[in-house]
C-alpha cells in the first residue's frame, strides 16, 4: 500500500519495495507485481465496505484460529458474502 502512495506522489511506478518481518528482524527487497496492486485495491474496497457497516461472513480458516477477536466476532452472513 505504501508503494502505491509513493507512486501517486512521485508520479511514476516503483519497481520494488522492502518488506520488514518485525518478529524475525528481517528486511527483504521484493518486486512489486501488478497482481500485488490489484490485491491491495481489493482489500481497500473490503475495508471500505466494513467501515460502511457491511460485515463479511466469518470464515473458519487458519487466521480465525489465531485471531484474538474470534470469540467476539459477530458477522451477519449474506448470500453475496460468499463471493468476496
Amino acid at each position: 500500500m505504501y508503494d502505491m502512495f509513493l507512486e501517486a506522489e512521485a508520479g511514476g511506478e516503483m519497481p520494488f519495495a522492502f518488506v520488514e518481518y518485525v518478529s524475525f528482524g528481517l528486511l527483504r527487497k521484493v518486486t512489486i507485481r501488478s497482481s500485488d496492486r490489484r490485491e491491495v485495491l481489493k482489500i481497500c474496497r473490503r475495508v471500505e465496505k466494513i467501515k460502511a457497516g457491511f460485515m463479511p461472513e466469518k470464515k473458519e480458516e487458519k487466521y480465525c484460529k489465531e485471531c484474538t477477536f474470534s470469540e467476539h466476532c459477530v458477522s451477519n452472513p449474506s448470500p453475496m458474502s460468499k463471493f468476496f
Side-chain angles (χ1 to χ4, degrees), residues 5-68:
F5 287 135
L6 288 172
E7 289 175 353
E9 285 292 317
E13 193 172 291
M14 302 293 174
F16 63 89
F18 290 96
V19 176
E20 182 179 8
Y21 295 92
V22 178
S23 57
F24 299 106
L26 296 173
L27 187 65
R28 275 189 20 198
K29 182 179 175 180
V30 294
T31 303
I32 304 296
R33 302 173 304 217
S34 58
S35 60
D36 297 329
R37 290 180 178 86
R38 282 193 299 274
E39 190 68 24
V40 166
L41 293 173
K42 185 172 119 180
I43 291 168
C44 288
R45 286 191 291 270
R46 290 185 74 195
V47 168
E48 288 300 321
K49 285 181 181 180
I50 291 170
K51 283 180 165 181
F54 174 78
M55 192 62 155
E57 185 176 322
K58 181 179 176 182
K59 297 177 183 177
E60 289 297 329
E61 296 177 351
K62 61 181 180 178
Y63 299 119
C64 287
K65 292 176 185 171
E66 297 175 15
C67 180
T68 57

